Amino acid sequence: MLEKTSPQSDVAEVMADIGRRAKAAARPLAIAGTERKNRALEAMANAIDNRRAEILTANARDVEAARAGGMASSFIDRLQLDDARIDAIITGIRAIAQLDDPVGGVIAAWERPNGLKIERVRTPLGVIGVIYESRPNVTADAGALCLKAGNAVILRGGSDSFHSSRAIHACLVDGLQSAGLPADAIQMVPLSDRAAVGELLTGLDGAVDVIVPRGGKSLVARVQADARVPVFAHLEGICHIYVDASADPKMARAIVTNAKMRRTGICGAVETLLLDRHLEPQVAKGILGDLAAAGCEVRGDDAVQSLLSEAVPASDEDWRTEYLDAIISARFVDDIGGAIDHISRYSSGHTEAVIAEDAGVVSRFFNEVDSAILLHNASTQFADGGEFGMGAEIGIATGKMHARGPVGVEQLTSFKYRVHGAGQTRP
Amino acid sequence: MLEKTSPQSDVAEVMADIGRRAKAAARPLAIAGTERKNRALEAMANAIDNRRAEILTANARDVEAARAGGMASSFIDRLQLDDARIDAIITGIRAIAQLDDPVGGVIAAWERPNGLKIERVRTPLGVIGVIYESRPNVTADAGALCLKAGNAVILRGGSDSFHSSRAIHACLVDGLQSAGLPADAIQMVPLSDRAAVGELLTGLDGAVDVIVPRGGKSLVARVQADARVPVFAHLEGICHIYVDASADPKMARAIVTNAKMRRTGICGAVETLLLDRHLEPQVAKGILGDLAAAGCEVRGDDAVQSLLSEAVPASDEDWRTEYLDAIISARFVDDIGGAIDHISRYSSGHTEAVIAEDAGVVSRFFNEVDSAILLHNASTQFADGGEFGMGAEIGIATGKMHARGPVGVEQLTSFKYRVHGAGQTRP
């Protein structure tokens, strides 16, 4: 590991070399068969299992440094590994081996009047850069997922988890090599300089096809601002639920409480509740009361405060806030039109839900709201690749280009056209 | 039209305003029904038909300025309109009206064990920036295609065709308004400053979702280098044909000549011919002789020169050159492996063809060559959205993100997920 003070030119050189090696590895990887990739994944899982003592020792070193550095206990918790967490990493890699291989899959096929048969088939994207923070398990998750989709990956973990990630990375490389795949298919940036991230974000002279940031808002914001290549990410999940006057009251209460309180720290947790002004006051009161009873702070407009005595006033800032906590903002809107206006103005484009029995309301919501995931009569907490049946995901994207919503193996692919002829020339 | 000397700050202000207006127009446009969009397209076609005298007068002004400026006759030809070319513009718009509306189309649908029904449906991308050169017809083609896919568009044509484009643009706005769609859905940059292009390439503070350059290599190169938003484009089409020893000789001769000589100036024209060293010399000689007989200059390696007396030596530069002319580079390679190596090294990732009867060779070519379009036993000149059955295209993309190959209305869309529940909460 170079010192944090390594000159900029050294960083650029090291990173350029990593880029070249990743690009060179991408070609054999792109044509590697499913069986070979799965063999590598299985060998990775076994290597992690066999070398867990080494991994735990490396992790203890990171944890000790973090403690000495006075990091918060929540930070230490994300960083720390134990046998159960290593088991989860192993299980995760084996689950990725079980996924269908997207590469070579035919997305569409048609025949032209001149007899040309055209197929659109999935191909790997190429080289993916993953920038993450203190969770060492991302090393394994991201490495395995990119491999399954036939992509080379450059991993740049947080310096706080450097030793843990390096120990896990060594197991991934073992797995690649034992299956005859190039070790450079999964590289880890050996620098803790922040400048290394800057280099990666340039795309390393065309070597990197896409960047995936995994971490908090400040990391994602920096990546989105500085990257010169496409980024799959969401900055935040300011998710909304609109409860229409036609909603089934019992369903509305169950869904709103679940969407907020099942897990408050995930990006699909609802942050703002929009209540139809035509709702029976008792129904609105029931929904708000359930939230309060479950321990949620409610920040509301006047009408919400009049229905729930514990509610505190919401400011304009509340409509723009992803709490990731047991707090919800709530207000009344005129109807579905008012809900759509509010969402258009404040949403981060991640996930929104409508609770309604009126088909016209649902149809307007589905047509007019432009977010990655829209749900009808279901909890926003289903915004997850696993819940969508995609298997593991590398994240959720709110951009509209290429990948949107959960980013799983299929979203980590591109496509090409194969045209089958019988001697056709163009007139 | 502001003067070319307008201060940078004015340009930035004008462009920012265009961006805001495009973004505002994108929302009503995204939810506009098919019938309304088609009504606008029909009204545009009629307006162009009715106002052709105005368009021709404006065009005469551009042509006169170009002549006075000493522009080449090929440039004048691209710029000049006449009744036949206006008819072609009108026919093009009507053909776009006939295309299926991609917006709202269901790409995939599945059901989860918990009863959630998930649909992936097409949505407009948002705002598209189109930067083009002297062909005034691009104003109508690009405006109509973006509208069909529900996108707002910002058109920035070359200053040489400014008056022609403005006259056509006025007809497009008429069409929008007569169908009750916002005039800002198709805006034309009213500045001839090059600085306006620079502003557009920044994405106008997030207003622009994608940029499509339409023009020569220097325009595309500038856009690709400077754009801070995704770009759909190809820099060049260095297309290859590999003729395997197993090829049907007659088919190989017909396809190679067609792929080079049908039209030499299009991006799908073949530029490099790779001949299997195991081909019968007579077959290779026939292919090369046909090219020479058709008026094509052949630049070859020693073996090619020994088979064709007219052939001149090829330099390394030839393998990297898109001639767009009656010139082809040709060499022998060891076999399919040698062909794949050559293509991996020199191709621009646009279109490649294999002529072979050996299924194993075809399979390797289809699996291992990573270009947007691969053809077996067919001419590379089929690399075209119309030939693919996609209808009009705005160009061909060689990037791997989002759109690859012909970019038609479907490629100008994104997607979102619609999840239909019955009260599901996440356990």
Side-chain angles (χ1 to χ4, degrees):
Chain A
M1 181 165 141
L2 297 191
E3 291 303 300
K4 295 211 180 197
T5 51
S6 50
Q8 181 75 41
S9 62
D10 287 1
V11 174
E13 213 170 280
V14 169
M15 294 304 296
D17 182 55
I18 288 176
R20 280 189 294 269
R21 281 156 51 196
K23 207 169 173 179
R27 195 180 153 201
L29 201 63
I31 60 176
T34 304
E35 190 274 329
R36 186 186 293 270
K37 290 187 286 189
N38 288 346
R39 194 145 35 90
L41 290 167
E42 186 55 38
M44 289 172 187
N46 291 338
I48 290 172
D49 198 10
N50 294 334
R51 290 160 68 172
R52 58 173 76 212
E54 263 172 67
I55 295 169
L56 289 171
T57 303
N59 183 247
R61 204 171 146 190
D62 286 331
V63 169
E64 194 181 324
R67 285 218 175 93
M71 303 306 285
S73 63
S74 60
F75 183 92
I76 306 276
D77 178 60
R78 284 196 294 274
L79 177 58
Q80 196 148 30
L81 294 176
D82 56 22
D83 268 314
R85 286 189 173 179
I86 290 181
D87 286 343
I89 291 172
I90 293 167
T91 307
I93 294 174
R94 292 199 169 124
I96 290 169
Q98 293 302 313
L99 294 176
D100 286 341
D101 187 344
V103 177
V106 176
I107 304 166
W110 64 97
E111 187 167 344
R112 298 290 302 151
N114 61 8
L116 287 179
K117 293 182 180 68
I118 302 180
E119 293 177 310
R120 201 175 173 203
V121 297
R122 288 194 204 283
T123 63
L125 271 175
V127 178
I128 295 173
V130 181
I131 302 173
Y132 53 106
E133 296 181 323
S134 57
R135 289 182 199 272
N137 62 301
V138 177
T139 310
D141 296 352
L145 208 57
C146 291
L147 173 67
K148 184 79 192 203
N151 298 298
V153 62
I154 299 171
L155 300 167
R156 204 288 180 182
S159 53
D160 301 290
S161 58
F162 183 79
H163 299 97
S164 318
S165 293
R166 190 166 57 175
I168 294 170
H169 176 251
C171 299
L172 305 184
V173 171
D174 269 11
L176 288 168
Q177 291 181 316
S178 77
L181 290 170
D184 287 341
I186 304 179
Q187 292 180 83
M188 191 179 139
V189 175
L191 303 167
S192 59
D193 296 68
R194 278 176 70 86
V197 174
E199 290 294 325
L200 191 50
L201 294 179
T202 65
L204 303 176
D205 199 21
V208 179
D209 293 285
V210 64
I211 300 271
V212 181
R214 286 286 305 267
K217 190 171 160 184
S218 66
L219 171 70
V220 177
R222 183 195 169 190
V223 168
Q224 288 184 328
D226 294 348
R228 298 303 306 260
V229 290
V231 174
F232 292 162
H234 68 274
L235 189 61
E236 47 192 4
I238 303 181
C239 304
H240 297 76
I241 293 186
Y242 167 62
V243 181
D244 188 67
S246 70
D248 175 308
K250 205 175 141 201
M251 192 188 284
R253 290 170 70 157
I255 288 175
V256 171
T257 301
N258 179 267
K260 179 73 247 182
M261 299 302 289
R262 174 185 161 270
R263 280 182 64 190
T264 58
I266 66 172
C267 57
V270 69
E271 306 292 5
T272 297
L273 173 65
L274 301 171
L275 298 163
D276 187 347
R277 205 171 293 289
H278 310 94
L279 265 178
E280 292 293 333
Q282 281 313 106
V283 174
K285 198 168 176 166
I287 295 168
L288 295 165
D290 284 356
L291 284 165
C296 183
E297 176 182 332
V298 177
R299 302 186 185 173
D301 63 3
D302 290 345
V304 165
Q305 291 173 67
S306 76
L307 286 173
L308 182 77
S309 58
E310 303 96 307
V312 299
S315 71
D316 190 64
E317 198 46 35
D318 281 299
W319 313 122
R320 304 178 191 282
T321 300
E322 183 188 32
Y323 302 113
L324 296 173
D325 203 347
I327 307 171
I328 198 167
S329 56
R331 61 169 292 209
F332 280 85
V333 292
D334 280 340
D335 56 14
I336 175 69
I340 292 168
D341 286 345
H342 181 102
I343 293 170
S344 299
R345 184 154 173 206
Y346 295 108
S347 171
S348 58
H350 190 293
T351 295
E352 335 287 349
V354 59
I355 317 297
E357 295 301 310
D358 180 333
V361 165
V362 178
S363 166
R364 271 197 72 187
F365 189 88
F366 272 179
N367 286 335
E368 298 186 26
V369 177
D370 188 25
S371 294
I373 300 172
L374 304 177
L375 301 114
H376 168 224
N377 286 354
S379 170
T380 57
Q381 300 236 353
F382 286 113
D384 173 272
E387 292 297 322
F388 271 52
M390 295 176 174
E393 68 177 27
I394 203 164
I396 289 191
T398 51
K400 292 188 190 175
M401 303 299 293
H402 194 88
R404 197 180 195 199
V407 183
V409 282
E410 281 192 1
Q411 286 70 37
L412 294 177
T413 62
S414 180
F415 59 85
K416 63 185 175 189
Y417 292 95
R418 293 177 175 175
V419 183
H420 305 262
Q424 286 89 341
T425 55
R426 190 167 168 191
Chain B
M1 183 166 138
L2 299 190
E3 291 303 300
K4 293 212 182 198
T5 51
S6 51
Q8 180 74 42
S9 62
D10 288 2
V11 174
E13 214 170 279
V14 169
M15 293 305 294
D17 182 56
I18 288 176
R20 279 190 295 269
R21 282 157 52 198
K23 206 169 173 177
R27 195 180 152 199
L29 200 63
I31 60 176
T34 305
E35 191 275 328
R36 185 185 294 269
K37 290 187 287 189
N38 287 346
R39 192 143 39 87
L41 291 166
E42 186 54 37
M44 289 172 187
N46 292 338
I48 290 172
D49 199 10
N50 295 334
R51 291 160 68 172
R52 59 172 77 214
E54 263 172 66
I55 296 169
L56 290 171
T57 304
N59 182 247
R61 204 169 146 192
D62 287 333
V63 169
E64 195 181 323
R67 286 218 175 91
M71 303 305 285
S73 62
S74 59
F75 182 93
I76 305 275
D77 178 60
R78 284 195 294 273
L79 176 58
Q80 196 148 29
L81 293 176
D82 56 22
D83 269 315
R85 285 188 173 179
I86 289 181
D87 287 343
I89 290 173
I90 293 168
T91 306
I93 295 175
R94 291 197 169 126
I96 289 169
Q98 294 301 313
L99 293 176
D100 285 340
D101 187 343
V103 178
V106 176
I107 304 167
W110 64 96
E111 188 168 343
R112 299 289 301 151
N114 60 9
L116 288 178
K117 294 182 180 67
I118 302 179
E119 292 177 309
R120 201 174 173 203
V121 298
R122 287 194 205 283
T123 63
L125 271 176
V127 177
I128 296 173
V130 181
I131 302 173
Y132 53 105
E133 296 181 324
S134 57
R135 290 182 198 273
N137 62 302
V138 177
T139 310
D141 296 351
L145 208 57
C146 291
L147 172 67
K148 183 79 193 204
N151 297 299
V153 62
I154 299 171
L155 300 167
R156 204 288 179 183
S159 52
D160 302 289
S161 57
F162 183 79
H163 298 98
S164 318
S165 293
R166 191 165 57 174
I168 293 170
H169 176 251
C171 299
L172 304 185
V173 171
D174 269 12
L176 287 168
Q177 290 181 318
S178 78
L181 289 171
D184 287 340
I186 303 179
Q187 293 180 82
M188 192 178 138
V189 175
L191 304 166
S192 58
D193 296 68
R194 278 176 69 87
V197 173
E199 289 294 325
L200 191 51
L201 294 179
T202 65
L204 304 176
D205 200 21
V208 179
D209 293 285
V210 63
I211 300 271
V212 181
R214 288 285 305 267
K217 190 171 160 183
S218 66
L219 171 70
V220 177
R222 183 193 169 192
V223 168
Q224 288 184 328
D226 294 348
R228 298 303 305 260
V229 291
V231 174
F232 292 162
H234 68 273
L235 188 63
E236 47 192 4
I238 304 181
C239 304
H240 297 75
I241 293 185
Y242 167 62
V243 182
D244 188 69
S246 70
D248 174 307
K250 204 175 142 201
M251 190 188 284
R253 289 171 71 155
I255 288 176
V256 171
T257 301
N258 180 267
K260 179 73 248 182
M261 298 304 289
R262 173 185 161 271
R263 280 183 63 191
T264 58
I266 66 171
C267 57
V270 69
E271 305 292 6
T272 297
L273 173 65
L274 301 171
L275 298 163
D276 186 348
R277 206 171 294 286
H278 309 95
L279 265 177
E280 292 293 330
Q282 280 315 103
V283 173
K285 199 168 176 165
I287 294 169
L288 294 165
D290 284 355
L291 284 166
C296 183
E297 177 182 331
V298 177
R299 301 188 185 173
D301 62 4
D302 289 345
V304 165
Q305 291 173 69
S306 75
L307 286 173
L308 182 76
S309 58
E310 304 96 309
V312 299
S315 71
D316 190 64
E317 199 47 34
D318 282 298
W319 314 122
R320 305 177 190 282
T321 300
E322 183 188 30
Y323 302 113
L324 295 173
D325 204 346
I327 308 171
I328 198 167
S329 57
R331 61 169 290 209
F332 280 85
V333 292
D334 280 340
D335 55 14
I336 174 68
I340 292 169
D341 286 344
H342 180 102
I343 293 170
S344 300
R345 184 155 173 203
Y346 295 107
S347 171
S348 59
H350 190 295
T351 295
E352 335 288 348
V354 60
I355 317 298
E357 296 301 310
D358 179 333
V361 165
V362 178
S363 167
R364 271 197 74 186
F365 189 88
F366 272 179
N367 286 334
E368 299 186 25
V369 177
D370 188 25
S371 294
I373 301 172
L374 304 177
L375 302 113
H376 168 225
N377 286 354
S379 171
T380 56
Q381 300 236 352
F382 287 112
D384 173 272
E387 292 297 322
F388 271 52
M390 295 176 175
E393 67 177 27
I394 203 164
I396 289 190
T398 51
K400 291 188 191 176
M401 303 299 294
H402 195 89
R404 196 180 195 198
V407 183
V409 282
E410 281 193 359
Q411 286 69 35
L412 294 177
T413 62
S414 180
F415 59 86
K416 64 185 176 190
Y417 292 95
R418 293 177 174 175
V419 182
H420 305 262
Q424 285 89 341
T425 55
R426 189 166 169 192

